[in-house]
Each structure stands twice: as C-alpha cells, then as structure tokens.
Amino acid sequence: TQGLDGLAERCAQYKKDGAVFAKWRCVLKISDSNPSKLAITENANVLARIGSMHVIYGLIHLCQTFCVLQVLAAVYKAMSDHHVYLEGSLLKPNMVTPGHSCPTKYSPEEVAMASVTAMRRTVPPAVPGICFLSGGQSEEEASVHLNAINNCPLAKPWVLTFSFGRALQASALRAWRGHKENEKTATEQFVKRAEVNSLACQGKYSGGDNYGEAGHRIFGSCHAY
C-alpha cells in the first residue's frame, strides 16, 4: 500500500479490478521500553482506519500485529471506535513463544495455553478466524505449536489456522536451490508441509520428531517485513 492518503480511491479501484481482501501490517519491536503507549495507540488507530476503509469498499480485512495483550486490546478498542465489521476480518498474530534469546524452553502445550489465553482475553468472538504467523520458528516447531493450539482445552470461538511464509517454504527452497532438476523434489516438500499444517489445524498432527531442531530455525533478528 501507499499509506492512508488517497486510500479510498485506490480501494474502489482495487475492488473494481477484482480484489476481495487486503492486508495491513504493523510490526512492533519488544524491549524493556518498547513498544511505547504512543506507538501502540498510533498503530492501533492506523489498523482500524484501514479496516474501516476496507469494509466500506467490500474488502476482507487482515489485521497483522505483534501478539501482546496490551497491543491487541488497543487494536480492538480502535476497531470498535472506527466501526470495523469484525465478522469480515481476520487476525494474523504471532504465537506466544519465548523470545529467541530466552534460555527457558517451553513445551508445545505451554505455548498453546499462553497463545490461546492471550487470544481469549483480547480477540472478540465475532472475529471468524485467527491465522497464526510462524515468527521465525522452524517448520516443525510452527506445525507442532499450531497442533497444540488446536488441542488446547480452553474454549476457542474462532477458527485457528496458519499464515506461514518461511515455515511453509524453507524445506522446499532448500530442496530446490534454484535448479530446475530439483523442482519435483521441492514441490513434494512444499506439499508435505501443507499437508502437515492442514492436520495441525485440526489437531491431528502426530509428527514432531524434529521439534526444536536449532539447525533448521529460520529466525532472523533483523528480518525485514
């Protein structure tokens, strides 16, 4: 996108051209002093304004934020203030996982409980779906955590699914390496990860043999969105 200026006209044209959904991303860095209250408020209002514009022009809104209780609460307060049609939106948050430098390792069940608890405290049941990001986890970690989330015993009024990028593509890209003769193998790897995550969305994935393998993590501290 090119920002809020002139967005109404562009949304009208995008809809005319056949677009049916749009995504707006706000990424907040976490530290002892960040995100500030001002950063949370401003980003929440930007998300809400773009969501309001999408509703006017009939586009499904995907709202992507950092998974922090304070941030999500501010986002949905702003969504309410701007009269966003929540039933026509999806949330794309990170799972609640320990920071990359955290020495403590938590089980998939603990990650699931923390993630679902955060969603239950902030995301209205009117939102039809939550599409979790992989957030630098390995492919296997992301799938195992998604499976645990769907098996979490807490009540979950939304569809809980995935919107993985790196954690859906990494093994396929490693297999491909840019060579045409590897395309079949790369495709097989991609289909395998898609099938695994489909099972995880149903809480039926029984894999996890490579869970926690540091060698295949795809976290980048300076990853550019």
Side-chain angles (χ1 to χ4, degrees):
T1 64
Q2 299 173 7
L4 289 164
D5 293 340
L7 182 62
E9 293 81 6
R10 282 182 281 119
C11 277
Q13 185 62 48
Y14 298 154
K15 181 66 175 179
K16 184 179 178 181
D17 292 341
V20 294
F21 75 91
K23 180 178 76 172
W24 188 273
R25 180 198 301 268
C26 287
V27 178
L28 299 173
K29 280 199 169 185
I30 301 295
S31 71
D32 291 339
S33 56
N34 290 316
S36 68
K37 185 174 181 181
L38 178 61
I40 292 171
T41 301
E42 287 301 310
N43 280 283
N45 276 292
V46 165
L47 284 166
R49 290 173 67 190
I50 191 78
S52 177
M53 197 69 67
H54 290 168
V55 169
I56 291 171
Y57 291 97
L59 299 174
I60 295 173
H61 181 56
L62 281 80
C63 156
Q64 187 165 319
T65 68
F66 205 100
C67 180
V68 181
L69 288 174
Q70 188 178 3
V71 174
L72 289 175
V75 166
Y76 281 107
K77 170 62 166 61
M79 293 287 187
S80 176
D81 290 344
H82 287 271
H83 310 292
V84 173
Y85 180 60
L86 295 181
E87 289 83 350
S89 69
L90 298 169
L91 176 68
K92 291 181 63 177
N94 281 51
M95 298 176 188
V96 180
T97 58
H100 184 65
S101 59
C102 178
T104 305
K105 303 302 177 187
Y106 294 90
S107 70
E109 292 72 24
E110 289 175 307
V111 168
M113 183 61 72
S115 298
V116 174
T117 297
M119 300 302 110
R120 279 165 50 88
R121 291 177 179 176
T122 53
V123 183
V127 175
I130 297 175
C131 311
F132 285 103
L133 305 170
S134 54
Q137 301 175 79
S138 72
E139 292 176 319
E140 193 64 22
E141 284 176 325
S143 300
V144 169
H145 287 156
L146 180 62
N147 189 75
I149 284 170
N150 277 285
N151 282 320
C152 181
L154 298 179
K156 304 177 287 291
W158 332 268
V159 173
L160 300 173
T161 183
F162 66 97
S163 181
F164 298 163
R166 286 171 288 169
L168 190 63
Q169 304 163 359
S171 59
L173 290 173
R174 283 197 299 269
W176 177 50
R177 299 198 301 272
H179 300 298
K180 187 172 180 63
E181 61 270 21
N182 295 332
E183 286 182 359
K184 184 176 184 294
T185 303
T187 300
E188 290 171 350
Q189 288 295 319
F190 186 82
V191 170
K192 175 185 175 182
R193 295 316 310 175
E195 290 174 342
V196 162
N197 289 307
S198 175
L199 290 171
C201 288
Q202 304 169 65
K204 297 179 179 179
Y205 180 48
S206 58
D209 292 341
N210 298 319
Y211 175 76
E213 274 194 9
H216 291 295
R217 285 180 187 161
I218 42 183
F219 172 80
S221 60
C222 297
H223 181 71
Y225 289 92

